Amino acid sequence: MATLLIPLVGPLQAWGLDAKFDLRQTAPEPSKSAAIGLLCCCLGRDRSESLEDLAAMPFGVRVDREGSLLRDFHTVQDVIAADGSKVKTLVSNRWYLTDAAMLIGFQSDDRDLVKKIHQALQHPHWTPCLGRRSCLPTVPLAAGGVVNLPLLEALQQAERLVAGDKDLRAVIEDSTGTQQRPDQPLAPFSKRLFGIRRVRTLSIKPCLPST
């Protein structure tokens, strides 16, 4: 068993809740489908390719710094409405997380797969981003490395990304969890099919950064 850890740190992050054109919200942490999309970007997998091996890995996220919400406005012209008519101008509201820091993890018994993904994080096929193309990471995605620990234990033992000693919020995939998330890919991204997965939210106290 091995867990791949990936730090998500940058001035801006955006983890979509919906895809309405005039309102693009952000969740407080990445969904599993968004995190898998990040892996696909680094691996060079097309939207039509299978996600079965990636989707099978349990996923978790530790929020080291929650970040603050920021709203941006985009003005778009000649937008085609649902009835086929054209709307002259549309204002799109887009929300971002500023100064957030998170550590995500994928657990797998397939060490070759984990190693392959980690190598792809070091040499990504396409430029990775933290949810949207304008949100670039400031910490190398491969910096978390691979550890021989289960997912939760790996997140607990990994050093903090941000100085402090408070307990941190973590969302862990758990078949017995009481919370549900509609972000489990059931097919290639081109088909847009997602199922429900169960998670639990808990507080953990990870290791302090080494001095």
Side-chain angles (χ1 to χ4, degrees):
M1 178 181 297
T3 296
L4 173 66
L5 296 173
I6 306 172
L8 305 180
V9 183
L12 292 175
Q13 302 188 32
W15 306 108
L17 290 172
D18 54 47
K20 294 181 179 179
F21 187 81
D22 59 345
L23 178 60
R24 300 290 181 88
Q25 301 184 57
T26 179
E29 72 278 330
S31 63
K32 184 176 184 179
S33 57
I36 290 176
L38 180 62
L39 301 187
C40 288
C41 176
C42 295
L43 289 165
R45 289 198 189 183
D46 185 81
R47 291 179 58 84
S48 62
E49 294 187 58
S50 173
L51 303 172
E52 186 175 354
D53 56 344
L54 304 180
M57 296 189 293
F59 170 70
V61 54
R62 189 187 80 191
V63 182
D64 288 39
R65 184 167 59 209
E66 295 281 353
S68 303
L69 285 172
L70 172 70
R71 183 171 62 174
D72 189 21
F73 298 94
H74 292 248
T75 302
V76 185
Q77 295 181 329
D78 298 327
V79 177
I80 299 177
D83 61 1
S85 62
K86 286 190 175 181
V87 179
K88 184 176 182 181
T89 302
L90 181 66
V91 176
S92 175
N93 295 272
R94 302 187 183 190
W95 289 90
Y96 299 84
L97 291 174
T98 64
D99 297 321
M102 310 178 197
L103 184 68
I104 63 173
F106 285 94
Q107 176 186 304
S108 178
D109 292 326
D110 187 343
R111 293 192 59 84
D112 289 338
L113 174 61
V114 172
K115 182 179 180 181
K116 180 180 178 180
I117 297 172
H118 187 242
Q119 291 175 340
L121 295 176
Q122 298 175 67
H123 306 285
H125 184 86
W126 292 304
T127 301
C129 57
L130 304 182
R132 295 188 189 134
R133 291 182 181 179
S134 60
C135 304
L136 299 178
T138 55
V139 172
L141 298 179
V146 178
V147 295
N148 297 319
L149 294 170
L151 176 60
L152 178 56
E153 192 173 346
L155 292 175
Q156 289 174 325
Q157 294 195 18
E159 291 185 359
R160 294 173 182 261
L161 301 174
V162 179
D165 59 0
K166 293 183 178 180
D167 289 0
L168 303 178
R169 181 171 63 88
V171 181
I172 306 296
E173 189 166 335
D174 185 342
S175 60
T176 64
T178 58
Q179 300 169 304
Q180 295 183 341
R181 299 289 173 89
D183 60 358
Q184 176 68 32
L186 300 178
F189 281 131
S190 60
K191 295 187 178 181
R192 297 181 177 273
L193 294 175
F194 302 94
I196 298 295
R197 67 185 180 100
R198 290 188 176 273
V199 303
R200 61 187 174 110
T201 300
L202 64 158
S203 295
I204 60 177
K205 185 182 289 292
C207 298
L208 296 174
S210 58
T211 55

